[in-house]
Amino acid sequence: MGLLALGTPLDWPEAKKDANQVREWGIEQLLSIWRKAKGKERDALLWGDEVEYIVVAYNDKERKALLSLRQADILLALSKDEELVKHGGCVPALQNVTRDGEALPAFHPEFGRFMLEATPGKPWGIGFKDLLDVEPNMKWRRQIAKDHMADNESPITLTTYPRLGAPEVFTSPHFPTSGPKLRSQFLPDEIANPHIRFPTLAANIRSRRGRKVEVNVPVFRDKNTPWPWKDPTVNYDLHNWPEDDDVRNGAVKENHIYMDAMAFGMGSCCLQITFQAKNITEGRRLYDQLSPLGPIMLALTAATPLYKGFVADTDVRWNQISAAVDDRTAEELGELPLKNDRWRIPKSRYASNSTYISQDPRLRREYLDPDLVVDERLKQRLLDGGMDDLLATHFAHLFIRDPLVIFTEDLHQLDLDKTDHFENLQSTNWQHMRFKPPPSDNDIGWRVEFRPMEVQITDFENAAFSVFMVLITRAILSFDLNFYIPIAKVTENMQAAHARNAVLDGKFHFRKNPFPPRHIKTPHPHPNGDNSIPASPYPSSPPSPGPIEDEYEPMTIATIINGSSSSPSSSSNTSFPGLVPLVESYLNSLNVDVETRCALTRYLELIRHRADGRLWTAARWIREFVGRHAEYKADSVVGEGVCFDLLKAVEGLERGEGGREMFGVGEVGKGGCGAGV
């Protein structure tokens, strides 16, 4: 998260009056960017990662681990560290950061007052040195953050705090719940970053939808879990706010953990990767080809089995965040006939993609969403401004949403040299891929953001998944791979990824043959500087397309990641190459020294063995830890003592203490080429 604008925010009734103006001005700013940057070329791919932390404060004497709400204090301490200032600084929100020599990592505020985001100080390249520097840099970031915290505080890369919203005290300092912004039964307003954008965002989502958000996560039924299960933390007799009627009007589902505020979603941590493409054509291609990989990587990085002090029957965070920021009205949800709203909208604004955007001739019309909701008036403006139909459709779909935070000062005059109105809509469409035009004030190129992955417990894992995604993009471009499936099947896959142990038990629609009918001669840069194209080691696909249903089939993640000698379908005799073997074939085409190849093999082995079950996901490790804990009563309840020991053990994994089930070796990330499990 970058610099946060200041101004006078409008509450929803007033913001609604200006929503059309913001949308129209946003489209004009987009067209201005489009005209200036559609021919922009960059020399080589750059990329960056974003790692998010929760900050935990321990009370060892009482065996309690609380969320520390000292985000602002920690960022201030980082910005005032004279040694860090001497080397350029590392908090862009509080200081003018300069980059000389080895750039310091950058630290940013996030939605939760208990969260930090850390990024590398400058973009990574695709050279092997950069790939091997990612893990040490992540460790460096964690250590810098830790050095500027209180002695009893630690930065932890865990998707969610296991007892966020539990009845007992869970924050330091403690605040009462049911404040005027969130109006949550379970969370204080002070859980959110105090910057005016965040409480306004939460309040306007609630106000626009006409009730609080409803987050219902299936509870895991253990042997002593009461059944049917009713969330025991819900207070049906609360009467502080009109929205307190929600629980009396059916907001709480039986056998589900109930949560009622944006912070339950946006308080989640993730691992995101942003790629700068060579040009807009390459960027659009990467957006499309990475889209079907999103659900696969979500399931493969599963790390979220606990909510509000209970064990959930899901393994990942995505749908919970989706519900936590869902601003759709009853009419847009289809609960009431359309009267005041323009259309029914099938997805939350935090959802899987609904569009493909590449002008790739292999993109068949049948892959697109036939029921896509688009603002036709804004689409026509984009077409009249010279944008092609596919990209105009994409942005006109994003712009069916209302802007949620509008500052009065931004409504006086349209500035085509800025992107504030465009970003108002773009940045609050939280899809699993994001296509990002260049900023107006620098030479950054067209970018693609890969957003579905769960943050991992250790820096080794986060580096492994980051590097793997970079290598996948290189294989896609070098072998001209084609992962297209109907976008509706990508949506189905995102739902499938939520199931408990989906990484082993789930089936995901995936393209059977990703290879082109012929080799494309356009070179793509390699890390060693060689721009020649490696010939694909696999047979090409048939030249003439048949029914799209013949192009994909349900596969396990083990097959998608590691390949198979024959497809899972008994009616098919084709084989699937596997994403890891494709990456290995790409590396085989390059002049990679033995030491570098061994280092990359550590990462690929983690991916390979997570997919085939030899190594556990974080979600499984957490479940097993809770299940074996002496204080756990097999009733789906995660008490304070269990939470304390779990978070201590999570920290221990980063220090190399235990974790053989997750890493295959006694110490995190150690082992040579082909180290056994």
Side-chain angles (χ1 to χ4, degrees):
M1 185 170 295
L3 290 172
L4 296 171
L6 292 172
T8 308
L10 299 176
D11 290 337
W12 178 246
E14 293 302 313
K16 183 178 181 179
K17 299 174 185 177
D18 295 307
N20 280 332
Q21 178 182 334
V22 172
R23 273 191 293 266
E24 291 170 359
W25 283 11
I27 289 294
E28 295 305 318
Q29 288 179 338
L30 172 60
L31 281 172
S32 178
I33 300 168
W34 164 258
R35 296 186 187 107
K36 295 173 184 175
K38 62 183 178 181
K40 201 171 203 177
E41 295 276 344
R42 300 268 65 84
D43 293 335
L45 176 136
L46 297 175
W47 67 280
D49 67 87
E50 301 174 20
V51 177
E52 294 170 346
Y53 308 88
I54 62 173
V55 182
V56 174
Y58 294 105
N59 183 329
D60 291 343
K61 184 177 180 180
E62 297 182 13
R63 291 186 63 242
K64 291 184 178 181
L66 307 178
L67 281 177
S68 170
L69 303 186
R70 293 197 327 106
Q71 177 195 89
D73 296 332
I74 295 166
L75 289 172
L76 185 62
L78 285 162
S79 71
K80 290 186 174 299
D81 184 312
E82 293 184 3
E83 191 64 26
L84 296 179
V85 170
K86 187 187 304 182
H87 290 87
C90 61
V91 187
L94 297 178
Q95 59 191 158
N96 292 320
V97 172
T98 59
R99 299 303 185 200
D100 296 317
E102 184 179 12
L104 290 170
F107 294 90
H108 312 273
E110 263 295 340
F111 178 90
R113 201 180 291 198
F114 54 88
M115 302 170 70
L116 289 176
E117 177 190 290
T119 59
K122 60 183 179 181
W124 301 114
I126 57 172
F128 289 125
K129 181 183 184 303
D130 279 12
L131 295 183
L132 300 187
D133 282 346
V134 173
E135 184 180 346
N137 187 272
M138 288 181 175
K139 291 182 180 297
W140 188 28
R141 293 176 226 171
R142 190 187 296 263
Q143 188 59 54
I144 290 175
K146 170 67 175 171
D147 289 345
H148 293 80
M149 294 178 182
D151 291 342
N152 68 325
E153 292 176 335
S154 290
I156 294 179
T157 43
L158 200 61
T159 318
T160 59
Y161 173 72
R163 291 178 53 79
L164 180 66
E168 299 84 1
V169 172
F170 59 88
T171 65
S172 176
H174 172 67
F175 294 96
T177 61
S178 197
K181 292 297 184 181
L182 298 185
R183 302 189 181 182
S184 170
Q185 283 200 20
F186 313 109
L187 301 177
D189 282 0
E190 289 81 4
I191 202 78
N193 186 316
H195 186 284
I196 193 62
R197 167 181 164 81
F198 297 106
T200 302
L201 184 62
N204 284 358
I205 286 175
R206 188 195 67 250
S207 181
R208 187 188 187 281
R209 71 180 266 123
R211 53 190 166 177
K212 289 191 289 188
V213 296
E214 297 175 9
V215 186
N216 282 283
V217 182
V219 71
F220 171 69
R221 185 179 184 180
D222 212 336
K223 62 182 181 180
N224 295 328
T225 305
W227 211 260
W229 189 83
K230 298 183 184 300
D231 189 331
T233 66
V234 177
N235 183 354
Y236 289 90
D237 296 319
L238 194 64
H239 296 276
N240 292 342
W241 307 102
E243 294 89 347
D244 291 333
D245 285 340
D246 290 356
V247 297
R248 293 181 284 274
N249 294 330
V252 184
K253 292 184 179 180
E254 192 174 78
N255 301 326
H256 284 70
I257 306 161
Y258 171 69
M259 295 164 280
D260 66 351
M262 181 178 175
F264 281 111
M266 286 303 190
S268 303
C269 298
C270 66
L271 170 67
Q272 294 179 182
I273 313 296
T274 300
F275 303 98
Q276 177 185 270
K278 177 182 177 183
N279 51 40
I280 188 172
T281 300
E282 184 176 278
R284 293 170 71 167
R285 185 175 168 197
L286 284 176
Y287 178 95
D288 280 13
Q289 296 305 324
L290 290 176
S291 287
L293 303 188
I296 312 308
M297 300 309 296
L298 176 61
L300 197 60
T301 57
T304 320
L306 307 180
Y307 279 99
K308 212 177 70 170
F310 300 109
V311 184
D313 204 31
T314 56
D315 271 0
V316 300
R317 79 199 187 285
W318 192 268
N319 280 351
Q320 284 69 266
I321 309 178
S322 177
V325 297
D326 192 352
D327 70 332
R328 289 176 294 171
T329 67
E331 292 181 19
E332 290 169 336
L333 286 163
E335 297 172 353
L336 295 174
L338 285 175
K339 181 179 178 181
N340 300 309
D341 294 305
R342 296 184 291 173
W343 35 56
R344 289 182 180 148
I345 303 176
K347 295 180 181 179
S348 166
R349 61 199 300 154
Y350 195 113
S352 60
N353 289 4
S354 294
T355 58
Y356 287 126
I357 62 174
S358 177
Q359 293 177 305
D360 190 327
R362 300 170 300 184
L363 174 57
R364 300 174 61 176
R365 182 170 295 276
E366 297 96 320
Y367 301 151
L368 304 176
D369 182 354
D371 301 316
L372 186 72
V373 182
V374 172
D375 189 319
E376 294 293 347
R377 183 177 62 86
L378 296 182
K379 177 181 175 180
Q380 189 59 53
R381 177 68 190 102
L382 292 170
L383 293 172
D384 293 344
M387 191 175 288
D388 61 90
D389 186 83
L390 275 172
L391 203 56
T393 298
H394 169 76
F395 286 115
H397 168 64
L398 299 186
F399 273 59
I400 67 173
R401 311 289 179 175
D402 280 333
L404 291 171
V405 180
I406 300 176
F407 294 109
T408 301
E409 293 82 358
D410 294 335
L411 297 174
H412 299 322
Q413 185 175 355
L414 172 61
D415 187 346
L416 293 179
D417 291 326
K418 296 174 65 177
T419 60
D420 52 340
H421 299 295
F422 168 70
E423 287 296 341
N424 195 327
L425 276 301
Q426 163 92 342
S427 66
T428 55
N429 272 275
W430 297 282
Q431 298 187 345
H432 84 271
M433 298 289 302
R434 183 177 282 160
F435 185 64
K436 304 174 74 169
S440 59
D441 57 352
N442 58 47
D443 64 352
I444 293 175
W446 294 87
R447 292 152 297 154
V448 173
E449 191 172 77
F450 189 76
R451 301 170 47 80
M453 292 191 293
E454 310 244 293
V455 76
Q456 301 296 283
I457 289 175
T458 67
D459 297 320
F460 165 64
E461 297 165 275
N462 287 314
F465 281 103
S466 299
V467 169
F468 177 65
M469 290 310 304
V470 173
L471 294 175
I472 279 289
T473 66
R474 300 303 89 197
I476 287 171
L477 296 176
S478 293
F479 297 146
D480 194 29
L481 299 176
N482 175 11
F483 292 125
Y484 277 126
I485 60 174
I487 199 73
K489 296 301 179 183
V490 177
T491 300
E492 286 184 30
N493 285 348
M494 285 294 281
Q495 297 308 307
H498 285 73
R500 178 163 43 91
N501 208 32
V503 67
L504 299 183
D505 299 337
K507 291 288 188 72
F508 297 79
H509 303 288
F510 212 76
R511 191 176 186 87
K512 293 188 284 188
N513 190 337
F515 299 111
R518 56 187 174 80
H519 299 311
I520 306 301
K521 300 301 183 184
T522 305
H524 299 285
H526 289 161
N528 63 357
D530 179 7
N531 287 341
S532 62
I533 288 286
S536 170
Y538 302 98
S540 63
S541 60
S544 57
I548 58 167
E549 293 78 12
D550 293 343
E551 296 179 350
Y552 61 89
E553 65 186 2
M555 298 184 192
T556 64
I557 286 186
T559 295
I560 295 168
I561 295 295
N562 297 327
S564 66
S565 55
S566 61
S567 82
S569 171
S570 59
S571 62
S572 173
N573 294 318
T574 61
S575 61
F576 184 76
L579 300 183
V580 166
L582 284 168
V583 166
E584 290 175 328
S585 293
Y586 167 72
L587 292 173
N588 289 341
S589 71
L590 307 176
N591 183 22
V592 184
D593 64 86
V594 173
E595 183 178 357
T596 298
R597 189 63 184 265
C598 283
L600 296 177
T601 296
R602 293 166 52 233
Y603 297 150
L604 297 181
E605 289 295 286
L606 175 72
I607 309 295
R608 188 194 306 276
H609 296 320
R610 283 278 174 89
D612 66 21
R614 280 184 275 180
L615 297 178
W616 293 358
T617 62
R620 182 176 176 186
W621 183 86
I622 292 169
R623 288 182 185 279
E624 294 285 342
F625 183 95
V626 171
R628 292 194 302 261
H629 197 281
E631 297 177 23
Y632 178 66
K633 298 178 176 62
D635 56 358
S636 306
V637 176
V638 181
E640 290 181 289
V642 178
C643 180
F644 176 85
D645 290 339
L646 172 64
L647 294 179
K648 286 286 189 177
V650 163
E651 274 203 278
L653 290 176
E654 172 57 32
R655 294 193 298 268
E657 299 168 4
R660 185 174 181 84
E661 307 96 334
M662 295 179 70
F663 314 117
V665 290
E667 191 174 346
V668 175
K670 300 297 184 182
C673 283
V677 174

mmCIF file of all heavy atoms in Angstrom, residues 22 25 78 210 374 377 410 455 493 550 592 621:
data_model
loop_
_atom_site.group_PDB
_atom_site.id
_atom_site.type_symbol
_atom_site.label_atom_id
_atom_site.label_comp_id
_atom_site.label_asym_id
_atom_site.label_seq_id
_atom_site.Cartn_x
_atom_site.Cartn_y
_atom_site.Cartn_z
ATOM 1 N N VAL A 22 -17.189 10.768 -10.413
ATOM 2 C CA VAL A 22 -15.907 10.093 -10.194
ATOM 3 C C VAL A 22 -15.684 9.020 -11.256
ATOM 4 O O VAL A 22 -14.575 8.871 -11.785
ATOM 5 C CB VAL A 22 -15.859 9.486 -8.778
ATOM 6 C CG1 VAL A 22 -14.614 8.620 -8.604
ATOM 7 C CG2 VAL A 22 -15.885 10.589 -7.728
ATOM 8 N N TRP A 25 -14.858 10.826 -14.626
ATOM 9 C CA TRP A 25 -13.511 11.405 -14.589
ATOM 10 C C TRP A 25 -12.457 10.302 -14.556
ATOM 11 O O TRP A 25 -11.381 10.451 -15.135
ATOM 12 C CB TRP A 25 -13.384 12.322 -13.367
ATOM 13 C CG TRP A 25 -14.052 13.653 -13.564
ATOM 14 C CD1 TRP A 25 -14.893 14.008 -14.585
ATOM 15 C CD2 TRP A 25 -13.933 14.805 -12.728
ATOM 16 N NE1 TRP A 25 -15.317 15.302 -14.430
ATOM 17 C CE2 TRP A 25 -14.738 15.823 -13.298
ATOM 18 C CE3 TRP A 25 -13.254 15.079 -11.557
ATOM 19 C CZ2 TRP A 25 -14.858 17.091 -12.726
ATOM 20 C CZ3 TRP A 25 -13.362 16.342 -10.973
ATOM 21 C CH2 TRP A 25 -14.154 17.343 -11.560
ATOM 22 N N LEU A 78 10.750 3.228 12.676
ATOM 23 C CA LEU A 78 11.530 2.919 11.469
ATOM 24 C C LEU A 78 11.951 4.203 10.754
ATOM 25 O O LEU A 78 13.086 4.326 10.284
ATOM 26 C CB LEU A 78 10.702 2.042 10.531
ATOM 27 C CG LEU A 78 10.535 0.577 10.932
ATOM 28 C CD1 LEU A 78 9.362 -0.052 10.193
ATOM 29 C CD2 LEU A 78 11.811 -0.202 10.635
ATOM 30 N N GLY A 210 -26.675 -1.306 3.215
ATOM 31 C CA GLY A 210 -27.858 -1.189 4.041
ATOM 32 C C GLY A 210 -27.864 -2.093 5.253
ATOM 33 O O GLY A 210 -28.886 -2.207 5.944
ATOM 34 N N VAL A 374 -21.614 -4.992 -17.644
ATOM 35 C CA VAL A 374 -20.745 -3.936 -18.163
ATOM 36 C C VAL A 374 -21.529 -2.629 -18.203
ATOM 37 O O VAL A 374 -22.725 -2.617 -18.518
ATOM 38 C CB VAL A 374 -20.253 -4.293 -19.591
ATOM 39 C CG1 VAL A 374 -19.512 -3.134 -20.220
ATOM 40 C CG2 VAL A 374 -19.372 -5.526 -19.555
ATOM 41 N N ARG A 377 -22.356 2.550 -21.399
ATOM 42 C CA ARG A 377 -22.079 3.951 -21.708
ATOM 43 C C ARG A 377 -20.598 4.262 -21.531
ATOM 44 O O ARG A 377 -19.983 4.902 -22.408
ATOM 45 C CB ARG A 377 -22.935 4.848 -20.819
ATOM 46 C CG ARG A 377 -22.787 6.347 -21.104
ATOM 47 C CD ARG A 377 -23.724 7.154 -20.214
ATOM 48 N NE ARG A 377 -23.403 6.962 -18.806
ATOM 49 C CZ ARG A 377 -22.483 7.681 -18.151
ATOM 50 N NH1 ARG A 377 -21.789 8.624 -18.785
ATOM 51 N NH2 ARG A 377 -22.265 7.466 -16.871
ATOM 52 N N ASP A 410 -11.142 16.510 -4.156
ATOM 53 C CA ASP A 410 -10.833 15.932 -5.463
ATOM 54 C C ASP A 410 -11.918 16.199 -6.502
ATOM 55 O O ASP A 410 -11.761 15.808 -7.675
ATOM 56 C CB ASP A 410 -10.636 14.418 -5.330
ATOM 57 C CG ASP A 410 -9.421 14.054 -4.501
ATOM 58 O OD1 ASP A 410 -8.500 14.889 -4.432
ATOM 59 O OD2 ASP A 410 -9.400 12.953 -3.917
ATOM 60 N N VAL A 455 -0.123 -15.848 2.452
ATOM 61 C CA VAL A 455 1.224 -15.672 2.973
ATOM 62 C C VAL A 455 1.631 -16.951 3.704
ATOM 63 O O VAL A 455 0.801 -17.638 4.307
ATOM 64 C CB VAL A 455 1.304 -14.441 3.904
ATOM 65 C CG1 VAL A 455 0.689 -14.708 5.268
ATOM 66 C CG2 VAL A 455 2.735 -13.952 4.047
ATOM 67 N N ASN A 493 -13.176 -23.040 -9.989
ATOM 68 C CA ASN A 493 -11.936 -23.491 -9.345
ATOM 69 C C ASN A 493 -11.628 -22.696 -8.079
ATOM 70 O O ASN A 493 -11.120 -23.249 -7.098
ATOM 71 C CB ASN A 493 -10.769 -23.372 -10.323
ATOM 72 C CG ASN A 493 -10.778 -24.455 -11.382
ATOM 73 O OD1 ASN A 493 -11.515 -25.437 -11.287
ATOM 74 N ND2 ASN A 493 -9.950 -24.294 -12.399
ATOM 75 N N ASP A 550 -13.665 -30.132 -24.893
ATOM 76 C CA ASP A 550 -12.605 -31.114 -25.109
ATOM 77 C C ASP A 550 -11.229 -30.583 -24.736
ATOM 78 O O ASP A 550 -10.246 -31.330 -24.747
ATOM 79 C CB ASP A 550 -12.582 -31.554 -26.582
ATOM 80 C CG ASP A 550 -13.825 -32.334 -26.967
ATOM 81 O OD1 ASP A 550 -14.531 -32.816 -26.054
ATOM 82 O OD2 ASP A 550 -14.099 -32.442 -28.181
ATOM 83 N N VAL A 592 22.736 -22.339 -16.700
ATOM 84 C CA VAL A 592 22.593 -22.112 -15.264
ATOM 85 C C VAL A 592 23.694 -22.869 -14.529
ATOM 86 O O VAL A 592 23.852 -24.081 -14.718
ATOM 87 C CB VAL A 592 21.213 -22.582 -14.760
ATOM 88 C CG1 VAL A 592 21.044 -22.245 -13.278
ATOM 89 C CG2 VAL A 592 20.098 -21.955 -15.588
ATOM 90 N N TRP A 621 -0.736 -28.133 8.798
ATOM 91 C CA TRP A 621 0.154 -28.095 9.963
ATOM 92 C C TRP A 621 -0.552 -27.442 11.151
ATOM 93 O O TRP A 621 -0.462 -27.920 12.286
ATOM 94 C CB TRP A 621 1.437 -27.335 9.619
ATOM 95 C CG TRP A 621 2.428 -27.303 10.739
ATOM 96 C CD1 TRP A 621 3.378 -28.233 11.034
ATOM 97 C CD2 TRP A 621 2.547 -26.281 11.742
ATOM 98 N NE1 TRP A 621 4.094 -27.853 12.158
ATOM 99 C CE2 TRP A 621 3.596 -26.664 12.605
ATOM 100 C CE3 TRP A 621 1.865 -25.091 11.986
ATOM 101 C CZ2 TRP A 621 3.981 -25.881 13.696
ATOM 102 C CZ3 TRP A 621 2.236 -24.314 13.072
ATOM 103 C CH2 TRP A 621 3.294 -24.715 13.911
#
